[in-house]
Amino acid sequence: MATYKQIQPGKVFMGKLSHGADLLGELTDICIREGIRLGRIEAFGAVQKAALGFYDQRTRTYQGFALDRPLEITKLIGNVSLKEGKPMVHAHITLADKDGSAYGGHLMPGTIIFACEFVLQVFEGPVFHREYDERTGLPLWNMDSQQI
Ligand code: ZN
């Protein structure tokens, strides 16, 4: 059964990330600096290299893989919630090469920005806490108090 809560739109931040910075790290730093507890992120641009992950549902571990070359960010979509009391950015990214072939996965540390423009929408209302989920082995939102 789906679980969800009503949230309200808050501030919106829009900007560009730093050339040479870690993509996941810089997004997380903005959330910490601005005290963001809940939000959504969208971005596009280009990376110098990428580190992505694929969650192996059988072994319950992330299999990391590196794309050690310049690629276009055709789409980054993610959210912000709290894990152990701190903002955590969970993002997935699709990247394309010069032939238009695409690669995608769970964004990991080690993805280095060439250029990146982002929009960060903050939400107000209930806080979503990530906690260990027995069924998947993932740190999912614990929303048991609001089942619908
Ligand atoms: Zn993921």
Side-chain angles (χ1 to χ4, degrees):
M1 188 177 289
T3 53
Y4 52 94
K5 297 178 180 180
Q6 185 171 358
I7 54 176
Q8 292 80 43
K11 291 180 191 169
V12 182
F13 296 94
M14 189 168 178
K16 64 175 185 174
L17 302 179
S18 313
H19 177 85
D22 185 275
L23 180 50
L24 184 60
E26 187 140 270
L27 290 171
T28 303
D29 286 348
I30 293 167
C31 294
I32 292 168
R33 195 178 316 128
E34 299 297 334
I36 296 168
R37 304 187 312 168
L38 192 63
R40 69 185 294 274
I41 298 171
E42 214 175 277
F44 65 97
V47 298
Q48 298 176 36
K49 61 178 186 173
L52 306 184
F54 174 84
Y55 190 68
D56 186 321
Q57 297 175 16
R58 191 178 51 80
T59 62
R60 296 179 160 213
T61 54
Y62 274 101
Q63 319 260 300
F65 59 98
L67 300 164
D68 206 6
R69 56 190 179 277
L71 295 160
E72 296 287 313
I73 304 170
T74 54
K75 178 80 171 185
L76 177 151
I77 187 92
N79 59 44
V80 186
S81 56
L82 295 184
K83 186 179 174 203
E84 291 157 7
K86 289 182 227 145
M88 180 192 148
V89 173
H90 179 205
H92 287 194
I93 190 168
T94 306
L95 301 157
D97 68 14
K98 64 180 171 48
D99 300 315
S101 296
Y103 308 86
H106 176 95
L107 179 65
M108 310 272 274
T111 299
I112 305 304
I113 300 161
F114 182 75
C116 185
E117 298 171 350
F118 73 95
V119 177
L120 173 50
Q121 162 83 62
V122 180
F123 297 123
E124 308 294 345
V127 176
F128 289 32
H129 294 278
R130 289 194 179 276
E131 291 174 14
Y132 179 76
D133 175 72
E134 292 279 343
R135 202 168 289 169
T136 62
L138 290 165
L140 300 183
W141 292 328
N142 180 353
M143 305 181 73
D144 57 359
S145 62
Q146 294 285 324
Q147 288 203 0
I148 297 173

